[in-house]
């Protein structure tokens, strides 16, 4: 066991790494460039709306074992709400048609035989695309495998690809989408069950982890941006910040849980994904509690720029993934556009525009294309005591909450063995 592990970055991957190490008795120091933890997955109080909102809406599934383990270790298992049986309601904004995707029991998707459980208007033969996706090669896109014609492409494959990969189906990695589909929908209802954050992301994923780390005696420093790493003899010997440096002893390790562009700046020899895709979120505060069609706290949309709705109290949030075509538009223009789309779905007037807040994540995830996936680095590096964590690393999973947390757990597992690795070097 190392004497201490220095975790750089307090996003979910860094928190997961630190939490697992601290649980196992390792001394941990966490350094975060911002003034808060959580990275791209957190909540904050918005003065305009007068309520707490998430910087982006997220959903967890029953198949996301690493996330559920993280919540348990942080003492936050009750901060997430399971929705059972699994069902995913949708509305086509263009024509008002609605349906529910409702996986059945068992790993074999026999539930597809029941048209009431399938995408509205779809034919059973269209789902042969699942078998074609399963045979995808490393260079295949989702569109390459399933084709882009037919109703199922617009109502299932495209929404699924954008939601899971934050990448359009025309360029999203078929292998990566297959990994998510195989772990969730194709394993049946229990693995597909959605979990909702009723009190927000920070209340479940950030604040409990910080409290648990404090209980373990972990050191946490905010406003600490890593400027440099001193490397000598195949190992890190120091990490440098603006006002000081920290020596790294022979029996200590460093985990870089930072974005790919920061990793590339600190360690240029490590190959990292170079493209990123944005996500746009619009939050609206209404005059009464929001009830979504389908009776769930979330709703999928097709035939519109808006892709998903999430309701919490009087607030409703719109998510637009792979949002390159919208991200540079002015905030008010975006708010008006998206509210006009969702107001009829909510049974609300399109005018006047309610209080709103636009949140733009320009680098929400890496572009999960075949080329981008090929550049994902492994957890280990050429240096015996330097390791990587982040949803952009080679987890085999999409760049989601689950991928981020799993990367942190893997870094903790390997960093926890660094004395042996250091001696071998």
């Amino acid at each position: 066991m190392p004497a201490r592990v220095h975790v750089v970055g307090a996003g979910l991957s860094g928190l997961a790494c630190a939490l697992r190490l601290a649980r196992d008795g390792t001394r941990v120091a966490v350094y975060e460039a911002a003034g808060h933890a959580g990275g791209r997955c957190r909540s904050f109080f918005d003065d305009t709306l007068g309520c707490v909102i998430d910087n982006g809406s997220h959903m967890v599934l029953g198949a996301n074992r690493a996330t559920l383990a993280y919540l348990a270790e942080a003492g936050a298992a009750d901060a997430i709400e399971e929705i059972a049986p699994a069902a995913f309601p949708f509305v086509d904004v263009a024509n008002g048609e609605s349906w529910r995707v409702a996986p059945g029991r068992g790993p074999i998707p026999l539930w597809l035989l029941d048209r009431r459980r399938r995408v509205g208007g779809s034919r059973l033969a269209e789902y042969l695309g699942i078998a074609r996706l399963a045979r995808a090669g490393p260079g295949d896109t989702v569109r390459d495998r399933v084709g882009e014609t037919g109703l199922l492409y617009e109502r299932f494959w495209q929404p699924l690809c954008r939601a899971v990969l934050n990448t359009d189906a025309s360029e999203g990695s078929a292998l990566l989408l297959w990994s998510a589909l195989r772990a969730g929908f194709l394993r049946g209802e229990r693995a597909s069950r959605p979990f909702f954050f009723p009190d927000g992301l920070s209340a479940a994923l950030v604040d409990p982890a910080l409290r648990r780390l404090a209980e373990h005696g972990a050191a946490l420093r905010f406003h600490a941006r890593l400027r440099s790493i001193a490397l000598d003899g195949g190992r890190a010997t120091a990490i440098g910040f603006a006002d000081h440096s920290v020596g790294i002893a022979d029996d200590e390790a460093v985990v870089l849980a930072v974005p790919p562009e920061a990793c590339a700046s600190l360690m240029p020899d490590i190959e990292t994904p170079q493209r990123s895709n944005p996500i746009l979120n619009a939050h609206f505060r209404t005059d009464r509690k929001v009830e979504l069609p389908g009776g769930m706290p979330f709703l999928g949309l097709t035939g519109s720029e808006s892709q998903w709705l999430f309701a919490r109290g009087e607030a409703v949030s719109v998510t637009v993934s792979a949002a390159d075509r919208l991200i540079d538009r002015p905030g008010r223009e975006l708010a008006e556009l998206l509210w006009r789309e969702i107001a009829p779905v909510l049974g609300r007037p399109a005018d006047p525009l309610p209080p709103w807040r636009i949140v733009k994540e320009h680098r929400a995830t890496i572009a999960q294309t075949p080329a981008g996936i090929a550049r994902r680095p492994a957890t280990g590096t050429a240096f015996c005591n330097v390791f990587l964590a982040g949803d952009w690393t080679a987890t085999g999973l999409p760049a989601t909450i689950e991928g981020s947390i799993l990367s942190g757990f893997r870094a903790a597992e390997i960093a926890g063995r660094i004395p042996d690795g250091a001696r071998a070097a």
Side-chain angles (χ1 to χ4, degrees):
M1 181 180 294
R4 181 170 54 172
V5 176
H6 303 264
V7 179
V8 182
L12 286 190
S13 61
L15 290 176
C17 179
L19 196 63
R20 180 60 59 89
L21 287 166
R23 183 203 68 174
D24 293 342
T26 301
R27 290 174 58 208
V28 179
V30 182
Y31 311 87
E32 169 56 46
H36 54 77
R40 293 161 292 146
C41 189
R42 63 185 179 87
S43 311
F44 61 94
F45 184 85
D46 184 79
D47 292 332
T48 300
L49 302 183
C51 63
V52 173
I53 59 174
D54 297 328
N55 66 334
S57 298
H58 295 268
M59 188 187 300
V60 170
L61 299 181
N64 296 156
R65 297 179 180 178
T67 302
L68 298 178
Y70 171 89
L71 289 163
E73 291 178 20
D78 59 351
I80 191 169
E81 183 178 299
E82 182 181 33
I83 299 174
F88 299 83
F90 282 84
V91 168
D92 190 302
V93 175
N95 61 22
E97 185 179 352
S98 63
W99 65 92
R100 284 161 43 107
V101 176
R105 294 181 179 180
I108 301 175
L110 295 177
W111 53 272
L112 288 174
L113 296 173
D114 186 347
R115 63 179 179 80
R116 294 170 299 179
R117 293 180 176 272
R118 302 197 303 256
V119 172
S122 64
R123 295 176 292 106
L124 184 60
E126 294 181 84
Y127 292 86
L128 291 175
I130 295 175
R132 293 193 293 270
L133 193 72
R135 298 193 297 271
D140 288 334
T141 68
V142 174
R143 185 176 65 183
D144 290 338
R145 300 308 303 170
V146 306
E148 63 176 332
T149 60
L151 179 144
L152 199 63
Y153 183 80
E154 293 301 326
R155 289 190 171 182
F156 181 74
W157 293 116
Q158 185 67 280
L160 183 68
C161 192
R162 287 174 175 168
V164 175
L165 302 186
N166 188 33
T167 305
D168 193 88
S170 64
E171 60 176 3
S173 165
L175 275 179
L176 207 54
L177 189 66
W178 169 245
S179 73
L181 191 66
R182 180 181 55 192
F185 281 145
L186 296 188
R187 289 182 57 215
E189 185 271 331
R190 184 173 292 275
S192 305
R193 287 182 186 175
F195 286 74
F196 183 63
F197 299 95
D199 299 315
L201 298 174
S202 288
L205 295 169
V206 181
D207 298 338
L210 293 177
R211 288 193 294 268
R212 187 56 54 91
L213 286 172
E215 291 170 4
H216 286 301
L220 181 61
R221 183 183 174 196
F222 292 109
H223 302 292
R225 183 178 299 278
L226 185 63
R227 304 287 187 180
S228 62
I229 302 178
L231 302 166
D232 183 53
R235 60 182 303 277
T237 58
I239 51 178
F241 301 90
D243 56 354
H244 74 296
S245 64
V246 177
I248 308 299
D250 289 347
D251 57 354
E252 294 186 343
V254 177
V255 174
L256 294 179
V258 298
E261 58 272 13
C263 179
S265 175
L266 292 163
M267 303 186 72
D269 291 339
I270 295 179
E271 186 176 62
T272 62
Q274 296 179 320
R275 275 187 56 201
S276 59
N277 283 343
I279 293 180
L280 171 69
N281 286 275
H283 305 274
F284 301 96
R285 180 72 181 269
T286 66
D287 57 358
R288 61 185 184 276
K289 183 179 179 180
V290 176
E291 301 286 351
L292 297 178
M296 300 284 192
F298 61 89
L299 177 68
L301 301 176
T302 63
S304 60
E305 295 287 1
S306 305
Q307 296 167 9
W308 290 91
L309 297 183
F310 292 83
R312 193 163 68 228
E314 298 173 353
V316 62
S317 301
V318 183
T319 296
V320 183
S321 299
D324 300 79
R325 63 199 175 280
L326 297 179
I327 200 72
D328 292 327
R329 294 194 191 182
R332 185 171 185 88
E333 178 182 325
L334 290 169
E336 291 174 343
L337 167 66
L338 299 176
W339 180 252
R340 282 196 304 270
E341 289 186 338
I342 70 169
V345 176
L346 301 176
R348 308 293 175 95
D351 187 58
L353 180 68
W356 55 272
R357 172 69 183 265
I358 298 293
V359 179
K360 299 178 180 181
E361 290 284 353
H362 289 269
R363 293 178 172 177
T365 69
I366 60 171
Q368 297 175 80
T369 64
I373 298 309
R375 294 181 62 89
R376 295 173 97 181
T379 304
T381 72
F383 301 91
C384 66
N385 64 342
V386 179
F387 308 95
L388 306 179
D391 61 9
W392 55 275
T393 60
T395 62
L397 298 178
T400 58
I401 287 176
E402 176 74 359
S404 184
I405 289 174
L406 181 62
S407 77
F409 284 169
R410 287 183 177 175
E413 179 183 0
I414 300 174
R417 301 196 299 263
I418 63 101
D420 294 336
R423 284 195 292 272

